[in-house]
Amino acid sequence: MLGPVTTGRPTTPRTHRRVRSRRTRIVLVSGAVAVVLAVAVLVVAVVVPLLRPAGPRPLFQLPVACGETWQLGTYPGHDDYDVDMFPTEGRAWGRPVLVSYAGEVTVAGINGSLGGRTPEDPDGSRGRGGGYWVKIDHGGKWETQYLHLLEPPLVRVGQRVAQGEQIGRVGSTGNSGAPHLHYEQRRGWEKVEAHFDGVPSGITHDDTEYTVKRKSNNCVPE
Ligand SMILES: [Zn+2]
């Protein structure tokens, strides 16, 4: 009886090799598919919104109490379109800071460092950056920012806020010389001239000192 013909080379290693190479191919193909999917998701989630044009300007209101008159201003070295707000009557410390227009809170925390300026110690150490601050997304690529608040914001990230809702109180945290509200309006992450109640503020470039008085129409219908 003849035994099985052998070539002297066992067949098992080749089978192993074939299985291993098939596995490698499956891993490579699924890896490539995952990369393509990841790029597609990135394009849809990040690039498409970036390219989309901004929506119409929301009817922003002054971020302070209805009927109050505040001085809006800027100074050389501030930054283009940045607005500093001081009340024309009464002291600034602790005055309510209100939402300019309905939206969703995207930042509520500390920017830079707080420093030590408080109503009890107005000449305390100066902090860095915006101090306690809030950022609100109004949709259509429009955003507002509120800086140097006295205390931790009264709102939290993800919270829906209505126009006129209080988000904090005027303070002097961060890089601030005196209690005031630093305020910005942004369209597509670029600062633009702040408009209030549909009227431009006139605060554009920071090459000269400029102030204007405006009365708040941030009045919530009863
Ligand atoms: Zn400022």
Side-chain angles (χ1 to χ4, degrees):
M1 277 278 279
L2 272 169
V5 180
T6 60
T7 58
R9 222 158 78 184
T11 52
T12 32
R14 213 187 295 163
T15 316
H16 273 177
R17 214 176 301 138
R18 215 175 298 137
V19 167
R20 209 182 301 137
S21 72
R22 200 180 309 140
R23 260 192 220 134
T24 312
R25 214 165 356 172
I26 290 168
V27 166
L28 282 176
V29 167
S30 34
V33 167
V35 167
V36 168
L37 279 178
V39 168
V41 166
L42 195 74
V43 166
V44 170
V46 179
V47 181
V48 169
L50 278 175
L51 297 175
R52 198 182 299 142
R57 181 191 307 274
L59 189 62
F60 292 120
Q61 298 297 337
L62 224 60
V64 295
C66 170
E68 288 185 359
T69 299
W70 284 55
Q71 179 184 287
L72 285 49
T74 194
Y75 56 87
H78 197 201
D79 201 9
D80 288 353
Y81 306 115
D82 284 2
V83 181
D84 277 357
M85 301 188 183
F86 298 85
T88 56
E89 278 173 47
R91 63 183 217 155
W93 287 114
R95 294 286 271 269
V97 175
L98 312 181
V99 172
S100 271
Y101 190 83
E104 187 181 321
V105 177
T106 50
V107 173
I110 298 170
N111 175 275
S113 69
L114 296 175
R117 301 203 165 185
T118 62
E120 297 72 37
D121 187 12
D123 296 318
S125 66
R126 201 176 174 116
R128 283 179 293 105
Y132 284 124
W133 73 309
V134 171
K135 194 161 144 178
I136 299 174
D137 180 354
H138 304 284
K141 293 181 137 182
W142 286 90
E143 288 181 332
T144 51
Q145 299 192 3
Y146 314 73
L147 277 63
H148 310 308
L149 304 179
L150 179 61
E151 303 145 334
L154 301 172
V155 290
R156 57 178 201 287
V157 172
Q159 186 178 332
R160 293 288 313 174
V161 285
Q163 182 223 307
E165 198 171 328
Q166 187 175 353
I167 54 176
R169 300 206 289 152
V170 171
S172 200
T173 55
N175 183 11
S176 165
H180 74 288
L181 177 65
H182 173 111
Y183 175 88
E184 299 172 17
Q185 289 178 3
R186 289 170 183 249
R187 180 181 58 209
W189 301 287
E190 254 182 286
K191 290 181 202 181
V192 294
E193 179 181 4
H195 284 50
F196 299 104
D197 208 22
V199 181
S201 64
I203 295 170
T204 51
H205 301 296
D206 72 338
D207 45 5
T208 48
E209 191 161 335
Y210 176 83
T211 60
V212 62
K213 287 190 175 76
R214 291 288 299 268
K215 187 174 169 181
S216 171
N217 192 27
N218 198 340
C219 312
V220 183
E222 296 291 325

